[in-house]
Amino acid sequence: MAHRGDPPDGPAENGASGQDDEYGSLVFDESFVRAARLQEFSAQERMGEHARAVRSLHGRAFRHGSRVALALMVLIAMAFGTAVFMGLRHPYESVSGRRAEPLRMTVVPLAPLGAVPAGTPAALFASSPAAGYPKGKDGINPPAARGTTDFSESQVSTALATVKDYLVASSLDPDVLSGNSVRPVESLLDPDQTEQFDRSVSEPHDDGQHAATGWLVRFDPARVTPDPEIRVRGTLRYVQTGSDALEVVSDHTFTYALRPAASGPRRENGASLFTVRREMRFRFDREDLRLHRLEVLTSYLQAGPQSCPADTSAALRPLLAGERAVSRGPAGTDPYATGRPVAALCGTLEVSSPPSRTPADPPGPPSP
């Protein structure tokens, strides 16, 4: 009878039996056999005195697997980066290579016919054409946006909202009005125009391109302090001017109540009104729309009461309550009137009578 561990045909011929075999009690199951991945060294490798007869493949396989995993991670990172980059751009929109044009500007001082009226801000507003004007940014109302041939409704809305932000920053921000800051305006400009803007602020000059007042409304802080209440009324309209160009035109009248600066002479009921009419043209390409910025193409500003002529390139220089202009311009100009502004180096301030009722809202822009 064969013992456990004997070959199927009985005990081995050399006389060894299962009982005498010291490994006879070991049983190698299938999983153990599959896991024993060994490779013999070559004859030359076995010539070494201390060389092992076999070697394991686990180390080399691990190193090879690490390289594969690293390469896979690099490919995943590159694919993710490409997806993020493409997600920031519309696949069917090309970035325009056109540089922004320099701003062309005109600043026209308006001289009063007589002495500047004095009073409290409330009384002055009530007796002026600005009596029914909305206050502050409520007077800057973009029209309903509709898509054009190459720009979606959302893109048109973005352009109108950006122009409103620019008008608020450049005409209503207290720090900008007093000359303490220009950053709210500069941050909305196309980078191609920042050099011109910086030069206009640091070295203003009345040359049609480098007047600070062509970009923003700024008063001489040594003379006046603006009242927080500002009356505003005007219109915004837009039109597509090219497959990659959208333009917005703004025409607004801003009425400020000014008081003498703290360092100046004090007057009882010494506030006075100052009126600024700004007509501006803005342009957007698709990159401007995506980055919430704009290009200012033209700026036409009429402002009074001021002496005429007056250097208003650095800041507006209002005449205060009771003051008179040194000289007047050749033609009368009403900043509250609608229609195309009259081009002139200096004008005479003629103010129409205050309305008997609250004026109706200005007509909306024509369909683009």
Side-chain angles (χ1 to χ4, degrees):
M1 180 177 181
H3 296 281
R4 177 183 177 86
D6 288 343
D9 297 330
E13 295 180 357
N14 58 6
S17 66
Q19 294 177 348
D20 297 332
D21 187 358
E22 59 181 318
Y23 300 105
S25 61
L26 296 178
V27 179
F28 299 97
D29 59 13
E30 183 178 356
S31 62
F32 179 86
V33 174
R34 289 181 176 178
R37 299 180 59 194
L38 301 177
Q39 179 178 331
E40 286 188 297
F41 286 87
S42 65
Q44 184 175 1
E45 289 174 328
R46 290 198 299 270
M47 289 176 63
E49 180 179 357
H50 302 291
R52 294 178 297 166
V54 294
R55 59 184 174 185
S56 172
L57 293 178
H58 290 297
R60 186 173 66 182
F62 178 80
R63 288 192 299 273
H64 178 70
S66 298
R67 288 195 295 270
V68 172
L70 180 60
L72 183 60
M73 292 177 63
V74 171
L75 289 175
I76 293 175
M78 291 177 62
F80 180 78
T82 301
V84 171
F85 177 79
M86 294 300 294
L88 295 177
R89 297 178 178 270
H90 194 290
Y92 303 104
E93 294 176 357
S94 60
V95 179
S96 173
R98 176 191 54 80
R99 289 183 59 84
E101 300 176 6
L103 167 61
R104 303 185 303 277
M105 60 186 70
T106 304
V107 180
V108 181
L110 301 179
L113 292 172
V116 177
T120 63
L124 291 170
F125 278 129
S127 61
S128 77
Y133 286 13
K135 299 178 182 180
K137 62 182 180 180
D138 291 338
I140 306 173
N141 297 308
R146 293 191 293 271
T148 65
T149 303
D150 297 294
F151 291 90
S152 66
E153 179 180 320
S154 175
Q155 289 174 316
V156 173
S157 295
T158 297
L160 293 171
T162 305
V163 169
K164 178 173 181 176
D165 289 344
Y166 183 90
L167 294 175
V168 170
S170 63
S171 308
L172 302 176
D173 188 299
D175 289 332
V176 173
L177 296 179
S178 60
N180 293 326
S181 176
V182 297
R183 181 58 185 167
V185 179
E186 185 178 22
S187 64
L188 293 169
L189 294 176
D190 187 288
D192 291 341
Q193 291 190 316
T194 55
E195 182 179 354
Q196 182 188 8
F197 177 83
D198 291 341
R199 181 179 171 187
S200 301
V201 172
S202 60
E203 301 176 15
H205 187 64
D206 189 13
D207 61 355
Q209 287 193 328
H210 297 97
T213 47
W215 300 92
L216 49 83
V217 176
R218 173 192 280 179
F219 297 105
D220 183 354
R223 285 186 54 80
V224 299
T225 300
D227 192 81
E229 182 176 324
I230 303 171
R231 303 294 180 92
V232 185
R233 189 186 185 193
T235 61
L236 288 172
R237 50 192 175 88
Y238 62 90
V239 62
Q240 179 179 328
T241 57
S243 61
D244 192 48
L246 188 68
E247 289 191 5
V248 178
V249 176
S250 68
D251 186 0
H252 289 80
T253 298
F254 301 84
T255 305
Y256 304 85
L258 305 178
R259 298 179 183 274
S263 58
R266 305 300 297 177
R267 299 180 178 89
E268 186 177 358
N269 295 332
S272 59
L273 293 187
F274 189 84
T275 305
V276 175
R277 182 179 176 186
R278 304 181 77 192
E279 181 178 349
M280 308 188 74
R281 187 161 60 98
F282 307 89
R283 182 165 59 195
F284 298 83
D285 57 27
R286 299 185 189 279
E287 191 76 354
D288 293 328
L289 293 171
R290 186 176 69 84
L291 297 177
H292 190 67
R293 68 190 190 195
L294 48 75
E295 305 168 29
V296 190
L297 297 181
T298 60
S299 171
Y300 190 95
L301 180 144
Q302 298 174 329
Q306 300 182 93
S307 287
C308 192
D311 182 6
T312 57
S313 59
L316 301 175
R317 304 181 184 278
L319 293 172
L320 301 176
E323 295 182 337
R324 295 175 180 269
V326 175
S327 62
R328 293 194 299 272
T333 303
D334 183 0
Y336 292 96
T338 59
R340 181 69 185 175
V342 177
L345 295 179
C346 194
T348 300
L349 178 63
E350 291 183 355
V351 179
S352 55
S353 301
S356 59
R357 60 183 178 84
T358 301
D361 291 336
S367 299

